[in-house]
Amino acid sequence: MRIAVGQFASAQEWDANLKTCREMIDGAVAGGADLLVLPEGALALFVDEPARIREAAQPLDGPFVSGLVEHTRGSSTTVIAGVHVPAGDDRVSNVLVAARDGEIVATYTKLHLYDAFGRRESDNVVPGANPPVVIDCAGWKVGLMTCYDVRFPELARLLADQGAQVIALPAAWVRGPAKEWHWEVMVTARALENTCYVAASGECGRRNIGASMIVDPLGITRARLGDAPGLLWSDASADELASARRTLPVLENRRFAVDPRLERHA
């Protein structure tokens, strides 16, 4: 499977971000990508006034998602991007949309909200209550996670339990002391401990680190971006995945199961 990861800095205006997403889709399709992972918050970003995402949020049939999905028509490339959707209680949901050939093939609502390092995503965002989501893509199983989810290894393991061979991880990882190191460690750990590929898209710009990565099943970084916009590429190999799982059979050797029951968000 040919994987592309797109990195850019979201603007406040959804139409400018849609233009950027379309350009990245065009680049991914031209490069033969089976999967394109775009950042969390691709619809809009308000660095200094995060509450404004409530007024900027759009339904899944709104102009941003509709324009994004329509731009995939006629292509076999699966595109995954993060958007904010009205949730009905004056807050929003943080949703990943997976689109292919002009259709939404799946959605995933972020389970773990970023109430850490002095920030409170839950002031404006409702946590998801959905089970983990795995989609089919070019004969592969791709699990979906969003940003802060990567700090919770049980979610990645639940995706692996559902057959995930690749984890798509859109993110908008906020800058801060040691934060880039946290990102690299945890993206790598989720790949290594589940012997799967991780395709992690980090939004760049004034607030976020960028640092998009593609990591293989033995924890080796195959490709990485810095803090500038761009497209990142790597190939996932079924033979390589099978070899990694024979060499390091952690999924077979483990002694504990993960409880899939959701705990209430505090």
Side-chain angles (χ1 to χ4, degrees):
M1 181 169 70
R2 184 85 164 135
I3 300 172
V5 171
Q7 175 172 296
F8 64 92
S10 288
Q12 295 183 0
E13 301 80 17
W14 68 264
D15 48 350
N17 295 326
L18 179 58
K19 179 176 184 292
T20 300
C21 290
R22 285 170 169 164
E23 291 169 351
M24 292 204 159
I25 293 170
D26 290 343
V29 171
D34 298 298
L35 174 67
L36 169 63
V37 183
L38 295 173
E40 176 188 25
L43 168 70
L45 176 66
F46 301 95
V47 173
D48 301 313
E49 301 174 280
R52 288 184 60 191
I53 197 61
R54 298 188 187 199
E55 64 191 55
Q58 296 181 15
L60 293 178
D61 60 357
F64 181 85
V65 172
S66 295
L68 183 76
V69 172
E70 182 60 30
H71 204 69
T72 69
R73 191 173 301 280
S75 167
S76 62
T77 302
T78 299
V79 178
I80 298 171
V83 298
H84 287 90
V85 176
D89 74 341
D90 197 36
R91 291 185 293 170
V92 301
S93 295
N94 189 336
V95 178
L96 296 186
V97 175
R100 181 173 58 242
D101 194 16
E103 303 289 341
I104 294 176
V105 298
T107 61
Y108 161 71
T109 303
K110 186 178 183 182
L111 288 166
H112 301 96
L113 299 184
Y114 184 50
D115 289 1
F117 293 96
R119 296 176 181 267
R120 285 190 52 83
E121 185 178 13
S122 63
D123 286 347
N124 299 302
V125 180
V126 177
N130 46 261
V133 175
V134 176
I135 65 172
D136 294 311
C137 174
W140 288 69
K141 297 289 187 181
V142 178
L144 307 184
M145 296 173 64
T146 306
C147 200
Y148 192 55
D149 281 337
V150 78
R151 290 188 182 271
F152 300 88
E154 62 273 18
L155 177 55
R157 180 53 55 87
L158 286 171
L159 293 172
D161 284 346
Q162 292 184 28
Q165 301 155 304
V166 178
I167 293 175
L169 177 64
W173 202 261
V174 178
R175 298 179 185 276
K179 291 290 297 299
E180 188 164 336
W181 177 242
H182 291 188
W183 167 255
E184 293 181 359
V185 166
M186 287 182 292
V187 171
T188 301
R190 299 299 84 85
L192 181 58
E193 70 198 4
N194 295 293
T195 50
C196 67
Y197 294 90
V198 175
S201 171
E203 184 180 311
C204 58
R206 177 162 62 92
R207 190 193 70 173
N208 301 316
I209 67 169
S212 296
M213 304 170 65
I214 301 174
V215 182
D216 75 15
L218 290 179
I220 305 302
T221 300
R222 291 297 184 86
R224 188 186 189 281
L225 289 174
D227 59 2
L231 271 176
L232 188 65
W233 297 89
S234 190
D235 293 316
S237 161
D239 289 342
E240 181 178 69
L241 177 66
S243 175
R245 290 183 169 181
R246 284 193 304 269
T247 301
L248 182 63
V250 288
L251 297 177
E252 297 177 11
N253 295 160
R254 64 186 174 136
R255 300 290 300 277
F256 296 97
V258 176
D259 186 344
R261 292 175 298 178
L262 278 176
E263 296 290 339
R264 186 180 68 85
H265 182 269

